[in-house]
Amino acid sequence: MNTKPTISSQIDEKIFIKVIDKHFSRLAPYYYKWINGWLIGAYENFRNIDKYIILIYIINQDFIFFRKNGLIVDYDTFYKDKTLEVAKINISKISKDLQIPKESVRRKVEELEKAEIIKRKGKQIFVNTTAIPVVQANLTLKNMSVLLCEFNKILKEEGIVEVAYPTTEISDSIKKNFSFVWYQFYKFLFIFTNRCRKTVGDLETFCVGVIVLLNAAENKSFKLKELTRKKYQISIQGSDERGVNAMSISDITGIPRITVIRKVKKLIKRNILQINEKKLIILNISGVAVDEIYELQNQNMRSLSNFIYRAFNQIKIII
């Protein structure tokens, strides 16, 4: 990945969204696993995904600082210390950017301080990274690398790039360019979670829905199909003959079974999920929810395309 960049080799970002649309069935399982792995990890830390998002928003101010000053900090350097100095916490700005009520943000920040994850020393503010192991992004990095590797393979098959790099090399390059890639990832993530929260009400509900979606996407008879994004969205509805129960969703996510049941009922009422004849939960979007979910995915795929494009440029896959 040490190729010298040339202007003539630059790829139009619009190609990326076309690749996603054309090969969506190949990318979807990796994409959903990456996103849901992050959501499950976020819930595991605090039993509240929004609290974790607020924390990484605070940490992200460091990535913004590095980006503005043209600095690239590698993975090991970023995590070598047990504490991380962060900028002043602005409750109003967090509330506005994350679209979470101000009082809820204030309460969650106070809880983080009470748990000594956020500490104040005079005018300085620090995050205790040892208290939140998932913040080190091991699983997210792995799942991200697998997704980018599959995308890279497709680009090579399409004749868009000359080389398809192995997952390990992509992972190593992300680690070397960690602050840049994670800045782009968090930018994608904040926009993504804002949209999902607005569409289904809360991120735990969204997480439950994605588990049901993944169960259908990983069905062998469905997984082998080569489908465009539009055909995929139509074909996956009601395709899962197995289904999944509330206890399994609870075991996978860590969300209490009683809460899962409540979230499932909410998604059934919204015509996103359905109970089949075996009394198991399946994906079957219908009614007005079809257009709502389709538009949500349109927006998210544009954001995903932008993230991959910028990440690939930085780690020298497309130049």
Side-chain angles (χ1 to χ4, degrees), residues 11 13 20 22 40 43 53 59 63 77 81 83 89 103 134 139 155 165 184 193 196 222-223 248 259 267-268 271 305:
I11 298 172
E13 186 184 339
I20 291 172
K22 182 179 178 181
I40 291 169
Y43 183 82
I53 289 177
I59 292 172
F63 292 126
T77 300
D81 297 323
T83 58
I89 297 173
E103 286 309 310
V134 177
L139 181 60
L155 291 181
Y165 295 98
Q184 298 296 341
T193 51
C196 295
F222 185 78
K223 197 174 183 180
S248 295
T259 304
L267 291 170
I268 290 173
N271 292 319
S305 173

Short mmCIF file of all heavy atoms in Angstrom, two decimals, residues 11 13 20 22 40 43 53 59 63 77 81 83 89 103 134 139 155 165 184 193 196 222-223 248 259 267-268 271 305:
data_model
loop_
_atom_site.label_atom_id
_atom_site.label_comp_id
_atom_site.label_asym_id
_atom_site.label_seq_id
_atom_site.Cartn_x
_atom_site.Cartn_y
_atom_site.Cartn_z
N ILE A 11 -10.41 7.68 -8.26
CA ILE A 11 -11.69 7.06 -8.58
C ILE A 11 -12.83 7.95 -8.11
O ILE A 11 -12.80 8.50 -7.00
CB ILE A 11 -11.80 5.68 -7.92
CG1 ILE A 11 -10.70 4.75 -8.46
CG2 ILE A 11 -13.16 5.05 -8.18
CD1 ILE A 11 -10.61 3.44 -7.73
N GLU A 13 -16.12 8.94 -6.45
CA GLU A 13 -16.82 8.36 -5.30
C GLU A 13 -18.16 7.76 -5.70
O GLU A 13 -18.64 6.82 -5.06
CB GLU A 13 -17.03 9.43 -4.23
CG GLU A 13 -17.62 8.90 -2.94
CD GLU A 13 -17.91 9.99 -1.92
OE1 GLU A 13 -17.30 11.07 -2.03
OE2 GLU A 13 -18.74 9.74 -1.03
N ILE A 20 -21.94 -0.80 -4.24
CA ILE A 20 -22.77 -1.24 -3.11
C ILE A 20 -24.14 -1.70 -3.61
O ILE A 20 -24.62 -2.76 -3.21
CB ILE A 20 -22.94 -0.11 -2.08
CG1 ILE A 20 -21.60 0.16 -1.36
CG2 ILE A 20 -24.02 -0.46 -1.05
CD1 ILE A 20 -21.62 1.38 -0.46
N LYS A 22 -25.00 -2.77 -6.62
CA LYS A 22 -24.91 -3.94 -7.49
C LYS A 22 -24.59 -5.22 -6.72
O LYS A 22 -25.12 -6.29 -7.03
CB LYS A 22 -23.84 -3.69 -8.56
CG LYS A 22 -23.69 -4.83 -9.55
CD LYS A 22 -22.64 -4.51 -10.60
CE LYS A 22 -22.46 -5.68 -11.57
NZ LYS A 22 -21.41 -5.39 -12.60
N ILE A 40 -23.90 -3.93 19.92
CA ILE A 40 -23.91 -4.88 21.03
C ILE A 40 -22.79 -4.56 22.02
O ILE A 40 -22.99 -4.58 23.24
CB ILE A 40 -23.78 -6.33 20.52
CG1 ILE A 40 -25.05 -6.74 19.77
CG2 ILE A 40 -23.52 -7.31 21.67
CD1 ILE A 40 -24.94 -8.04 19.01
N TYR A 43 -23.79 -1.53 24.04
CA TYR A 43 -24.77 -1.86 25.08
C TYR A 43 -24.11 -2.61 26.22
O TYR A 43 -24.45 -2.40 27.40
CB TYR A 43 -25.91 -2.69 24.49
CG TYR A 43 -26.99 -3.00 25.50
CD1 TYR A 43 -27.98 -2.07 25.79
CD2 TYR A 43 -26.98 -4.20 26.21
CE1 TYR A 43 -28.95 -2.33 26.74
CE2 TYR A 43 -27.94 -4.46 27.17
CZ TYR A 43 -28.93 -3.53 27.43
OH TYR A 43 -29.88 -3.79 28.40
N ILE A 53 -22.47 6.25 23.20
CA ILE A 53 -22.29 7.18 22.08
C ILE A 53 -21.87 8.55 22.58
O ILE A 53 -21.02 9.22 21.98
CB ILE A 53 -23.58 7.27 21.24
CG1 ILE A 53 -23.77 5.97 20.46
CG2 ILE A 53 -23.54 8.46 20.28
CD1 ILE A 53 -25.04 5.90 19.65
N ILE A 59 -14.75 11.53 23.25
CA ILE A 59 -13.43 11.06 22.81
C ILE A 59 -13.13 11.54 21.39
O ILE A 59 -11.98 11.86 21.06
CB ILE A 59 -13.38 9.51 22.87
CG1 ILE A 59 -13.43 9.04 24.33
CG2 ILE A 59 -12.12 8.96 22.19
CD1 ILE A 59 -13.58 7.54 24.49
N PHE A 63 -9.97 13.08 17.96
CA PHE A 63 -9.80 12.75 16.54
C PHE A 63 -10.01 13.98 15.66
O PHE A 63 -9.34 14.15 14.65
CB PHE A 63 -10.78 11.64 16.14
CG PHE A 63 -10.47 10.30 16.76
CD1 PHE A 63 -11.44 9.61 17.47
CD2 PHE A 63 -9.22 9.73 16.64
CE1 PHE A 63 -11.17 8.39 18.05
CE2 PHE A 63 -8.93 8.49 17.22
CZ PHE A 63 -9.91 7.83 17.92
N THR A 77 -0.29 3.96 19.70
CA THR A 77 0.02 5.24 20.35
C THR A 77 -1.22 5.82 21.01
O THR A 77 -1.16 6.32 22.14
CB THR A 77 0.59 6.25 19.33
OG1 THR A 77 1.79 5.72 18.75
CG2 THR A 77 0.90 7.58 19.99
N ASP A 81 -1.75 4.95 26.78
CA ASP A 81 -1.97 5.49 28.12
C ASP A 81 -3.32 5.04 28.67
O ASP A 81 -4.26 4.79 27.92
CB ASP A 81 -1.92 7.02 28.10
CG ASP A 81 -0.54 7.54 27.69
OD1 ASP A 81 0.45 6.92 28.09
OD2 ASP A 81 -0.49 8.56 26.97
N THR A 83 -5.27 6.85 30.48
CA THR A 83 -6.21 7.97 30.45
C THR A 83 -6.01 8.76 29.16
O THR A 83 -4.93 8.77 28.58
CB THR A 83 -6.01 8.92 31.65
OG1 THR A 83 -4.66 9.41 31.65
CG2 THR A 83 -6.30 8.20 32.95
N ILE A 89 -16.41 19.62 27.91
CA ILE A 89 -17.67 18.97 27.58
C ILE A 89 -18.78 20.02 27.46
O ILE A 89 -19.07 20.75 28.40
CB ILE A 89 -18.06 17.94 28.66
CG1 ILE A 89 -16.99 16.82 28.71
CG2 ILE A 89 -19.44 17.35 28.39
CD1 ILE A 89 -17.18 15.85 29.84
N GLU A 103 -31.25 17.20 28.86
CA GLU A 103 -31.25 16.68 30.23
C GLU A 103 -30.78 15.23 30.28
O GLU A 103 -30.15 14.81 31.24
CB GLU A 103 -32.65 16.81 30.85
CG GLU A 103 -33.01 18.24 31.23
CD GLU A 103 -31.92 18.89 32.09
OE1 GLU A 103 -31.48 18.26 33.08
OE2 GLU A 103 -31.47 20.00 31.76
N VAL A 134 -14.06 -1.98 25.32
CA VAL A 134 -14.55 -2.00 23.94
C VAL A 134 -14.14 -0.74 23.19
O VAL A 134 -14.06 -0.74 21.97
CB VAL A 134 -16.09 -2.18 23.92
CG1 VAL A 134 -16.63 -2.12 22.51
CG2 VAL A 134 -16.47 -3.51 24.55
N LEU A 139 -12.93 -5.53 18.17
CA LEU A 139 -13.92 -6.23 17.37
C LEU A 139 -14.38 -5.36 16.20
O LEU A 139 -14.55 -5.86 15.08
CB LEU A 139 -15.12 -6.62 18.24
CG LEU A 139 -16.24 -7.39 17.51
CD1 LEU A 139 -15.72 -8.68 16.92
CD2 LEU A 139 -17.41 -7.66 18.47
N LEU A 155 -14.04 -4.55 -6.03
CA LEU A 155 -13.44 -3.52 -6.87
C LEU A 155 -12.44 -4.13 -7.86
O LEU A 155 -12.37 -3.72 -9.02
CB LEU A 155 -12.72 -2.48 -6.01
CG LEU A 155 -13.59 -1.57 -5.14
CD1 LEU A 155 -12.72 -0.58 -4.37
CD2 LEU A 155 -14.61 -0.80 -5.97
N TYR A 165 -6.23 -6.61 -1.41
CA TYR A 165 -5.37 -6.85 -0.26
C TYR A 165 -6.03 -7.80 0.74
O TYR A 165 -7.26 -7.79 0.89
CB TYR A 165 -5.05 -5.52 0.44
CG TYR A 165 -4.24 -4.58 -0.40
CD1 TYR A 165 -4.85 -3.54 -1.11
CD2 TYR A 165 -2.86 -4.71 -0.49
CE1 TYR A 165 -4.12 -2.67 -1.89
CE2 TYR A 165 -2.11 -3.84 -1.27
CZ TYR A 165 -2.75 -2.82 -1.97
OH TYR A 165 -2.01 -1.97 -2.75
N GLN A 184 -13.31 9.27 10.51
CA GLN A 184 -14.30 9.04 9.46
C GLN A 184 -15.38 8.06 9.91
O GLN A 184 -16.57 8.22 9.61
CB GLN A 184 -13.61 8.51 8.19
CG GLN A 184 -12.60 9.46 7.57
CD GLN A 184 -13.22 10.75 7.07
OE1 GLN A 184 -14.43 10.84 6.85
NE2 GLN A 184 -12.39 11.76 6.88
N THR A 193 -26.53 6.57 13.55
CA THR A 193 -27.33 6.32 14.76
C THR A 193 -28.42 7.37 14.94
O THR A 193 -29.50 7.05 15.43
CB THR A 193 -26.44 6.25 16.02
OG1 THR A 193 -25.59 7.41 16.08
CG2 THR A 193 -25.57 5.00 15.99
N CYS A 196 -31.23 6.20 12.66
CA CYS A 196 -31.89 4.98 13.14
C CYS A 196 -32.73 5.26 14.38
O CYS A 196 -33.84 4.72 14.52
CB CYS A 196 -30.83 3.91 13.45
SG CYS A 196 -29.94 3.37 11.97
N PHE A 222 -30.32 -18.23 1.29
CA PHE A 222 -30.45 -16.84 0.87
C PHE A 222 -29.09 -16.21 0.63
O PHE A 222 -28.90 -15.43 -0.29
CB PHE A 222 -31.21 -16.04 1.94
CG PHE A 222 -31.49 -14.62 1.53
CD1 PHE A 222 -32.51 -14.32 0.65
CD2 PHE A 222 -30.70 -13.58 2.02
CE1 PHE A 222 -32.75 -13.01 0.26
CE2 PHE A 222 -30.95 -12.27 1.64
CZ PHE A 222 -31.98 -11.99 0.76
N LYS A 223 -28.11 -16.59 1.45
CA LYS A 223 -26.78 -15.99 1.40
C LYS A 223 -26.08 -16.23 0.07
O LYS A 223 -25.26 -15.44 -0.36
CB LYS A 223 -25.93 -16.55 2.56
CG LYS A 223 -24.69 -15.74 2.88
CD LYS A 223 -24.01 -16.30 4.12
CE LYS A 223 -22.80 -15.46 4.50
NZ LYS A 223 -22.15 -15.99 5.72
N SER A 248 -33.10 -15.95 22.36
CA SER A 248 -31.88 -15.95 21.56
C SER A 248 -31.39 -14.52 21.31
O SER A 248 -30.19 -14.24 21.38
CB SER A 248 -32.12 -16.65 20.22
OG SER A 248 -32.40 -18.01 20.43
N THR A 259 -37.23 -6.90 27.97
CA THR A 259 -37.03 -5.69 27.16
C THR A 259 -37.07 -6.04 25.68
O THR A 259 -37.65 -5.31 24.87
CB THR A 259 -35.70 -5.01 27.51
OG1 THR A 259 -35.66 -4.74 28.91
CG2 THR A 259 -35.53 -3.71 26.73
N LEU A 267 -41.71 -3.24 17.06
CA LEU A 267 -41.35 -3.40 15.65
C LEU A 267 -42.43 -4.15 14.87
O LEU A 267 -42.62 -3.91 13.67
CB LEU A 267 -40.00 -4.12 15.52
CG LEU A 267 -38.80 -3.30 16.00
CD1 LEU A 267 -37.54 -4.17 16.05
CD2 LEU A 267 -38.55 -2.09 15.10
N ILE A 268 -43.17 -5.03 15.55
CA ILE A 268 -44.30 -5.70 14.91
C ILE A 268 -45.41 -4.68 14.63
O ILE A 268 -46.01 -4.67 13.55
CB ILE A 268 -44.83 -6.85 15.80
CG1 ILE A 268 -43.82 -8.01 15.82
CG2 ILE A 268 -46.19 -7.35 15.28
CD1 ILE A 268 -44.17 -9.11 16.80
N ASN A 271 -44.91 -2.77 11.63
CA ASN A 271 -44.90 -3.60 10.42
C ASN A 271 -43.49 -3.83 9.87
O ASN A 271 -43.27 -3.87 8.66
CB ASN A 271 -45.78 -2.98 9.32
CG ASN A 271 -47.25 -3.00 9.67
OD1 ASN A 271 -47.75 -4.00 10.20
ND2 ASN A 271 -47.94 -1.92 9.40
N SER A 305 -20.85 4.61 1.70
CA SER A 305 -20.02 4.80 0.51
C SER A 305 -18.97 5.89 0.75
O SER A 305 -17.79 5.73 0.40
CB SER A 305 -20.90 5.19 -0.69
OG SER A 305 -20.12 5.55 -1.80
#
